[in-house]
Amino acid sequence: KAHPPTRIWSLADFEMGRPLGKGKFGRVYMVRTHSGPNKGYIIALKCMYKNELVENKVEKQLRREIEIQMNLRHPHILRLHGYFHDEGRVFLMLEFAGRGELYKLMNKLPDRRFEEKVAATYIAQMADALSYLHSKHVIHRDIKPENLLLGIKGDLKIGDFGWSVHAPGNRRQTLCGTLDYLPPEMVNGEQHDKAVDLWALGVLCFEFLEGVPPFEELENAPAGTYKRINNIDFKIPRHFSPEAGDLVRALLKKKPDDRLPLTKVLRHPWIMKYDPDAC
Ligand SMILES: Cn1ncc2ncnc(NCCc3cnc(NC(=O)Nc4cccc(C(F)(F)F)c4)s3)c21
């Protein structure tokens, strides 16, 4: 169903600010509204070229993302305020995340590792956001550091719902990009449900603590990664606390139904140890 637009926006409504980054399908700018009731409102404007979207056959995916994300309201989910287009471009009006992209912060850390306390706080915020998403029967399907942003208070925001669907899903679009975060059922192109986000949460937790994802294969990727995922071939590093190892093992289960449900993730000893007000 189409959205009755609250109002029709256009590029003329904004003052352009600095570039914030460039994604696969376009660039993002910090912009400010300069008139009307929400004058001086700062947002992130993602600009994409229609022909590029059409060439890559992703316009349906983008429509689905807009449909899904326009209806979401959660502190740890990046808000999509609206969208508009001109003859050649499509624009997404996104909540501005004051501390930018999480993976850029990770790349600045010694061996890309977070302390357990920080990682546990991020995982609790992710579990909170995923509980909300799953309660609306939405699966994100693309949880990875590149899709996570940080608000001005360092709070985590899930962005880029380009791969989200209403559960259950069976992928039509060819997967591109890293396999690192995909569960066995998705790499095998089988039907999948919201448990794919539980698997990805386990991969994310591992990467936050180790600095690299558990099934990473640099030599013979993607075949090597594919094999390791299917064989659940990972080891918990010695420096992980026992609770951290327990949580990662509880999420990286081959059978989707064996993965720890989000209610139990939020009450897990590793989360409670650091973020008691999580639940
Ligand atoms: C860098 N940065 N720094 C601060 C900051 N604050 C907010 N946002 C930022 N960056 C934008 C983050 C995004 C959120 N949602 C997105 N959504 C998307 O890009 N969707 C999309 C596009 C083209 C094609 C497809 C499709 F169809 F293939 F799926 C899907 S991008 C920020």
Side-chain angles (χ1 to χ4, degrees), residues 45 127 129 135 163 188 192:
L45 192 69
S135 72
W163 279 90
N188 297 325
H192 52 270

Side-chain angles (χ1 to χ4, degrees), residues 62-202:
L62 182 59
R63 264 186 243 281
R64 188 192 299 140
E65 170 181 14
I66 292 171
E67 174 63 38
I68 287 174
Q69 210 170 345
M70 285 288 277
N71 290 310
L72 301 177
R73 302 278 187 285
H74 189 277
H76 297 307
I77 291 177
L78 197 76
R79 188 76 198 284
L80 175 62
H81 294 298
Y83 62 98
F84 57 91
H85 63 97
D86 61 17
E87 66 286 352
R89 295 173 292 183
V90 179
F91 300 91
L92 299 181
M93 295 164 58
L94 293 156
E95 172 188 356
F96 171 59
R99 291 205 197 163
E101 297 172 285
L102 182 72
Y103 85 93
K104 285 199 173 148
L105 170 65
M106 288 168 79
N107 292 340
K108 288 187 192 134
L109 300 173
D111 48 356
R112 292 184 85 236
R113 289 178 188 175
F114 287 112
E115 286 163 42
E116 293 215 355
K117 175 176 174 32
V118 176
T121 305
Y122 287 154
I123 294 299
Q125 292 172 358
M126 285 298 296
D128 193 21
L130 290 175
S131 300
Y132 168 79
L133 264 187
H134 292 177
S135 72
K136 297 178 85 99
H137 307 295
V138 172
I139 328 176
H140 187 279
R141 297 202 310 178
D142 199 13
I143 299 294
K144 57 186 178 186
E146 291 77 359
N147 288 342
L148 303 178
L149 294 151
L150 291 167
I152 196 63
K153 297 192 284 297
D155 46 323
L156 197 126
K157 306 249 178 196
I158 304 180
D160 203 335
F161 282 70
W163 279 90
S164 58
V165 286
H166 283 101
N170 45 3
R171 178 172 40 84
R172 300 212 186 300
Q173 184 72 288
T174 322
L175 293 173
C176 52
T178 173
L179 285 181
D180 276 311
Y181 274 76
L182 295 180
E185 63 271 22
M186 276 193 87
V187 295
N188 297 325
E190 292 153 15
Q191 235 219 354
H192 52 270
D193 65 1
K194 57 192 180 184
V196 303
D197 288 341
L198 297 178
W199 171 279
L201 190 62

Side-chain angles (χ1 to χ4, degrees), residues 250-269:
L251 290 167
L252 297 184
K253 296 281 192 195
K254 176 134 190 161
K255 274 181 62 203
D257 295 348
D258 288 348
R259 293 168 201 160
L260 198 66
L262 291 168
T263 46
K264 294 217 168 72
V265 172
L266 283 163
R267 290 202 308 270
H268 189 276

